[in-house]
Amino acid sequence: MPKNSKVVKRELDDDVTESVKDLLSNEDSAEDAFKTSELIVDGQEEKDTEVEEGSEVEDERPAWNSKLQYILAQVGFSVGLGNVWRFPYLCQKNGGGAYLLPYLILLMVIGIPLFFLELSVGQRIRRGSIGVWNYISPKLGGIGFASCVVCYFVALYYNVIIGWSLFYFSQSFQQPLPWDQCPLVKNASHTFVEPECEQSSATTYYWYREALNISSSISESGGLNWKMTVCLLAAWVMVCLAMIKGIQSSGKIVYFSSLFPYVVLICFLIRAFLLNGSIDGIRHMFTPRLEIMLEPKVWREAATQVFFALGLGFGGVIAFSSYNKRDNNCHFDAVLVSFINFFTSVLATLVVFAVLGFKANVINEKCITQNSEMFIKFLKMGNISEDIIPHHINLSAVTTEDYHLVYDIIQKVKEEEFPALHLNPCQIEEELNKAVQGTGLAFIAFTEAMTHFPASPFWSVMFFLMLVNLGLGSMFGTIEGIVTPIVDTFKVRKEILTVICCLLAFCIGLIFVQRSGNYFVTMFDDYSATLPLLIVVILENIAVCFVYGIDKFMEDLKDMLGFAPSRYYYYMWKYISPLMLLSLLIASIVNMGLSPPGYNAWIENKASEEFLSYPPWGMAVCISLVVLAILPVPVVFIVRRFNLIDDSSGNLASVTYKRGKVLKEPVNLEGDDTSLIHGKTSTDVPSPNFGKNIYRKQSGSPTLDTAPNGRYGIGYLMADIMPDMPESDL
């Protein structure tokens, strides 16, 4: 081509370039603003989705190896110790089988909708709790910090319970079991049974004296219990090693930690059914008492159990779901995990009361034997006439039915003198009505029942290994609820943060392995989680429905799932769930106010428990636990409302990785009308919305629409700017 032709072509190209620049001049500011506000998320598996949604960044966020691994992780987090030692107690206390009805109703009204909500926001935004609520509303970013604080409080004492289980597990490789008989004390003259054990029972004595070596009050520290200190260290080492690589390490362990408890429960159920008296326990368990079901307290306790059984508000649910693909059917996951949790509770209840039925039968037989000997003694002394005893009854080998017959006859004949005889009716129902929960069920009642099992060491090993696995599954979710939000927000190395988190928790946790440590566990269990978590979940519901917008959220769900969720969830999230949560919060505050703050102390001289009130410093600790857990919510709100911290410093800004580089993403502190995926950087430029309304203009916005790939489409933009120009000219 001649030289002058090249010059002419260059000039023509320059003219074309200038023309295009003129046409697109109105787009530049919006384009720049959009680029700076674009959310960059990590995860290798999301490349195809990112092409559709317009991100130029390849996701590098870790991902679950399979859907099964993810479901097992969620099941392991939600199914914990409460399913084994809390649900059976509530079921027995609140109407037996009739309790299942209010529980199921509240599971549908509170549990599944809120569980679905947390799964949705975590999967959509692909961040931990801090990042999720920061993007939905920066002023409510404190919700995520509050979740982290509550998670840490719970982790502190929850791992102590795993330590207790490890201790009992290590002591179970003996025949007979060390808590089978009361110890003998020798002095210079004779040998006698330990008085504290004789006044209580072998398992009770072993728990309070041998395992905990407990003091008489929370004010008596008594120094560290070295056995429990070693067990606590072992528990934290296990958690740290499992979580050090995040889901890449814990994801492999959940195959065992989540499935093994079901194997043990089924084995226990089969074994218990073969024992005498197990049917009595199950019949007692599921005999409905409909009159109790109408009491408000039953519904309050059922709602509380639903709330905590699913792990709502902890941030673990959000953290786990953030490693999913965006098109994962999280609605199916929410329903599946919720019902697995419910049926696990029912299975555990069957096991517990089958075993307790066997235990009650053993104790009842001992009672009948002892009282039959008293019958014979009274006959020899002449206190009871032989004529009133039916001739077919042999008091040396009396059956349960014959014993009750003789007891009723003596009660009628010796009506006035009967109380002085001190005879026991030996009713199996009385033993079954002794409701126990928590540590009393696991470490006293259940251990006592297992001493009567054939091959009792084997069953003890299985039981406490099951408790360890149940605890670890919940701890994985709890630690993930702490580590993931901090890593997502501040981009520290996960390995270093996990080690520091576990090491610090062990050091603080030493207060729980003092001789008075059990009382601190009770304190933290009562005050560190209940009220703060209720407030957190209420704020989560408000943030999604009323700050972000329930209609916009439903559109996002439709785009993410590929189908429109049922309108049932719309009404639950917007009306029913907030009202139910507020009612539960008020009821919990009232109940806490009416119940005197205190704890059950073990009194060595009396060999029994006695309720004691917390000292003034103990009350201060209780109040501090609640205040510290909720404090991040108002603090972050005030900081961002009044711009007390410059966002350019990056202290509260969202931070992410892009191909190994650290990028800061400005967070809008002026307005809360943000999108789940994009944060507004200016009140004049709205965030583009995803979903079916992608071509619709937003009210009060410039004439800028988004193309399907999340970028501004040139053709649509110019059509708005120059509506009179023929399409062919465009």
Side-chain angles (χ1 to χ4, degrees), residues 129 144 147-148 151 314-317 319 476-486:
S129 55
S147 291
C148 289
C151 273
F314 280 96
V317 173
F476 293 161
T478 304
I479 297 298
E480 199 69 53
I482 301 168
V483 173
T484 298
I486 296 176

Side-chain angles (χ1 to χ4, degrees), residues 42 73 254 289 314 446 512 572 591 645:
D42 306 326
V254 295
R289 298 187 295 278
F314 280 96
F446 219 85
F512 301 110
M572 288 295 107
N591 181 65
I645 296 180

Side-chain angles (χ1 to χ4, degrees), residues 595-648:
S595 303
Y599 59 100
N600 289 319
W602 179 257
I603 309 302
E604 182 177 358
N605 297 332
K606 299 179 181 178
S608 63
E609 289 185 336
E610 182 177 310
F611 184 82
L612 299 179
S613 298
Y614 287 117
W617 65 264
M619 286 298 303
V621 173
C622 293
I623 295 171
S624 299
L625 289 174
V626 177
V627 172
L628 286 174
I630 296 301
L631 194 60
V633 176
V635 167
V636 172
F637 180 85
I638 293 171
V639 164
R640 290 182 168 169
R641 175 66 180 83
F642 298 102
N643 295 328
L644 299 182
I645 296 180
D646 184 11
D647 223 25
S648 61

Side-chain angles (χ1 to χ4, degrees), residues 175-196:
Q175 178 66 30
L177 291 168
W179 50 83
D180 186 31
Q181 300 290 335
C182 283
L184 299 176
V185 179
K186 295 181 180 180
N187 58 19
S189 58
H190 62 284
T191 302
F192 57 92
V193 177
E194 172 64 49
E196 186 181 3

Side-chain angles (χ1 to χ4, degrees), residues 484-503:
T484 298
I486 296 176
V487 169
D488 286 343
T489 305
F490 301 106
K491 277 306 169 206
V492 295
R493 285 193 61 184
K494 176 165 281 190
E495 296 87 348
I496 296 174
L497 178 62
T498 302
V499 171
I500 293 174
C501 177
C502 293
L503 183 61

Side-chain angles (χ1 to χ4, degrees), residues 421-466:
L421 298 178
H422 302 292
L423 295 173
N424 196 312
C426 297
Q427 296 286 346
I428 196 170
E429 288 77 13
E430 289 185 7
E431 189 65 31
L432 288 170
N433 281 330
K434 295 177 181 178
V436 287
Q437 64 166 324
T439 55
L441 174 63
F443 299 107
I444 298 177
F446 219 85
T447 51
E448 182 178 350
M450 286 186 295
T451 59
H452 302 294
F453 277 31
S456 55
F458 168 77
W459 294 104
S460 183
V461 167
M462 293 284 282
F463 176 71
F464 289 110
L465 187 58
M466 178 190 72

